[in-house]
Amino acid sequence: MKYLVVANWKMNPPTLKGAKLLFDSVKKGVKNVKSVEVVICPPFVYLKELRIKNKELRIKLGAQDCFWQEKGPFTGEISPLMLKDLGVKYVIIGHSERRALGETDEMINKKLKSVLSAKLTPILCFENLTQVRNGLKGISKKVILAYEPIWAIGTGKPCPPEKAKKIRKTLKEFKMVLYGGSVNSQNAKDYIKKAGFQGLLVGGASLNPKEFIKIIKTVVGS
Ligand code: PGA
């Protein structure tokens, strides 16, 4: 099985030049990595340029969100079809930073359905099982989950692996569950080896190419 390591760049870096530099460093660092699928989710506006830089498709591209309609009068929104056209494979849905801005389980459910019907792979972020249940209402297709306790995101206080393991165990029917929240090269391995996750969703540490590559390599060695 291939592990999945996903970089969520959030609203970083502030320039295209910076995005290209970061992308190139990661690309170089993962040249010979085979047992891990590396996904970078940059801000939408960088996707096209990064796709051009990624001809060999060594790194998969992901988006941080999308809207549930295919097209139409929805100012400011981006549809799964547009993402697909740009070579995107994965879409993060229901990140807690979006939920904090008012995104509900109902909206998340519509987004998941729309991503699946565009034949993209959604990554549903959750922090409790109610969010998983509500988000997946009426969905039977393959969805990747990412357990992301809010208090662990961007705080430098990662969830203890034993605690995360309990959550992982309650989701046996899901083949691929990621852990996210203050992941770094020191703790990455514990979530795979001790807690039984199939990959990681990395925020802050993914903006530091050396650290991000170290994380990937520890997963390779797991
Ligand atoms: P963090 O973010 O690694 O900076 O805690 C994780 C996330 O928000 O996906």
Side-chain angles (χ1 to χ4, degrees):
M1 187 209 68
K2 250 194 172 185
Y3 292 109
L4 194 62
V5 177
V6 183
N8 178 8
W9 285 2
K10 308 191 181 183
M11 202 171 71
N12 300 293
T15 64
L16 175 60
K17 194 174 165 201
K20 284 180 174 174
L21 280 172
L22 181 52
F23 189 84
D24 279 343
S25 311
V26 176
K27 198 169 106 173
K28 251 187 239 152
V30 300
K31 225 178 211 163
N32 299 312
V33 169
K34 292 209 172 69
S35 54
V36 176
E37 172 130 303
V38 179
V39 182
I40 288 185
C41 303
F44 291 128
V45 289
Y46 300 146
L47 280 166
K48 187 175 173 205
E49 287 286 337
L50 297 187
R51 189 201 181 174
I52 294 166
K53 292 201 131 287
N54 190 33
K55 281 192 204 84
E56 319 88 340
L57 298 175
R58 198 174 294 141
I59 293 170
K60 299 290 181 277
L61 286 176
Q64 300 171 16
D65 182 35
C66 71
F67 195 53
W68 58 80
Q69 296 282 356
E70 287 184 0
K71 61 184 169 77
F74 305 103
T75 304
E77 299 291 358
I78 306 282
S79 83
L81 289 183
M82 294 169 182
L83 295 173
K84 193 177 173 144
D85 192 46
L86 283 178
V88 164
K89 186 171 171 196
Y90 295 91
V91 188
I92 297 172
I93 298 290
H95 191 282
S96 63
E97 286 157 13
R98 298 218 49 90
R99 292 182 192 259
L101 293 173
E103 201 161 291
T104 62
D105 282 342
E106 201 187 3
M107 290 156 82
I108 287 163
N109 180 257
K110 285 201 248 179
K111 289 183 176 191
L112 287 169
K113 286 178 177 160
S114 151
V115 168
L116 286 165
S117 68
K119 302 233 169 358
L120 298 174
T121 306
I123 300 172
L124 169 61
C125 297
F126 71 97
E127 67 150 3
N128 57 57
L129 299 177
T130 310
Q131 289 176 345
V132 177
R133 216 175 309 121
N134 291 346
L136 293 178
K137 250 182 210 152
I139 296 175
S140 55
K141 281 192 198 135
K142 198 181 88 180
V143 169
I144 296 171
L145 299 182
Y147 173 52
E148 294 221 312
I150 293 186
W151 47 267
I153 296 178
T155 57
K157 293 191 185 111
C159 180
E162 309 75 47
K163 195 171 173 187
K165 184 177 180 177
K166 285 191 189 136
I167 304 287
R168 178 64 190 98
K169 277 193 166 168
T170 59
L171 295 161
K172 279 203 186 83
E173 71 271 33
F174 292 88
K175 282 211 183 89
M176 178 137 308
V177 185
L178 315 180
Y179 168 78
S182 296
V183 171
N184 58 39
S185 59
Q186 303 298 308
N187 62 30
K189 198 172 180 169
D190 288 347
Y191 295 106
I192 309 291
K193 271 227 140 161
K194 285 195 195 153
F197 287 86
Q198 287 66 49
L200 303 163
L201 181 47
V202 188
S206 72
L207 298 170
N208 173 343
K210 273 197 191 144
E211 177 68 0
F212 187 57
I213 291 160
K214 260 198 207 165
I215 291 172
I216 294 164
K217 296 209 164 144
T218 47
V219 173
V220 171
S222 292

